[in-house]
Amino acid sequence: MKTITMMYVTLLPVIFAGVANKFFCKSDFLAWIDEPIDGGLKKSDGRHFLGPNKTWKGFWGMIALTAFFQIIWGLILGIIPHFLSLSLVAAYNNDIFFNLFFGFLLGSAYALCDLPNSFIKRRFNIPAGKEGQGNARWVFIVLDYAVPCVGSIAVIALFSPMTFSYYVGYVFLSGLTAFLLDLLLQVIQTKRKTLP
């Protein structure tokens, strides 16, 4: 149980940033950077490289928001020493500079590892924002939620070495958490639309 708690204490800024970034991307704020990363370019087969949903706004938003939440979380952990001791990076200075740097790395790794999924889905002719059909749907759901976490957990592993099984377990748990949070947000949005 302590191992799971340590993962959540360390990865919470990424989880918060992921949720916040969804709302940020849907807002009109900084609309001028809401442009596709691939610039709308297509391969010779007519398929986009990444698609319209992978934008610079979402990419930089994830990085900036993770750094922001990491700084805020670091301040909170400084007030609650017991929680700070559960962080996998507790051995490092819990100051603004470290948290800004660590948050930047976490967010960058997450954002970068999120791109290959879109590239692969376009190769399988899956429209942007869709998950595929049949058995392939579940494969891409796993990829959508777990692969970005591969990057963030890798960053944590650089600061706090872990075994391969520990690493895989963290990727699975963080991906499952992201999936459940996204599902909860969808349920809340659906209920809000049906309310008079």
Side-chain angles (χ1 to χ4, degrees):
M1 188 63 186
K2 184 179 179 181
T3 301
I4 295 174
T5 303
M6 291 175 77
M7 187 218 74
Y8 279 118
V9 168
T10 310
L11 206 60
L12 208 58
V14 180
I15 295 171
F16 282 149
V19 173
N21 200 35
K22 290 183 185 300
F23 291 100
F24 172 63
C25 287
K26 291 177 181 178
S27 73
D28 294 328
F29 185 63
L30 295 179
W32 60 276
I33 60 168
D34 195 16
E35 297 291 333
I37 293 174
D38 63 12
L41 294 174
K42 299 179 181 179
K43 293 190 69 178
S44 57
D45 59 8
R47 299 172 187 172
H48 286 278
F49 280 89
L50 298 174
N53 285 357
K54 285 292 172 280
T55 65
W56 288 113
K57 184 176 180 178
F59 183 85
W60 292 114
M62 186 64 196
I63 296 172
L65 286 166
T66 305
F68 170 76
F69 281 115
Q70 182 64 41
I71 291 171
I72 298 301
W73 187 231
L75 293 172
I76 294 172
L77 291 180
I79 299 171
I80 314 171
H82 175 67
F83 279 152
L84 178 59
S85 68
L86 292 172
S87 172
L88 290 169
V89 291
Y92 297 86
N93 290 329
N94 181 37
D95 55 32
I96 289 178
F97 299 105
F98 172 76
N99 285 318
L100 176 62
F101 175 65
F102 186 60
F104 173 81
L105 291 180
L106 285 175
S108 298
Y110 187 99
L112 285 169
C113 287
D114 191 34
L115 299 180
N117 281 345
S118 293
F119 180 79
I120 294 169
K121 286 166 79 173
R122 299 302 83 78
R123 306 291 68 77
F124 280 88
N125 224 15
I126 298 173
K130 303 299 180 181
E131 298 162 341
Q133 297 181 352
N135 293 332
R137 178 175 180 266
W138 294 105
V139 172
F140 284 108
I141 286 176
V142 171
L143 290 176
D144 277 345
Y145 291 99
V147 172
C149 299
V150 168
S152 295
I153 304 297
V155 168
I156 294 172
L158 289 175
F159 289 83
S160 179
M162 58 184 73
T163 64
F164 180 72
S165 59
Y166 197 77
Y167 176 83
V168 171
Y170 268 13
V171 168
F172 172 77
L173 190 58
S174 55
L176 180 62
T177 302
F179 171 73
L180 292 175
L181 273 175
D182 199 37
L183 199 63
L184 178 62
L185 286 173
Q186 289 178 31
V187 170
I188 292 172
Q189 287 176 344
T190 302
K191 286 190 175 181
R192 284 179 63 183
K193 288 178 181 177
T194 57
L195 287 175

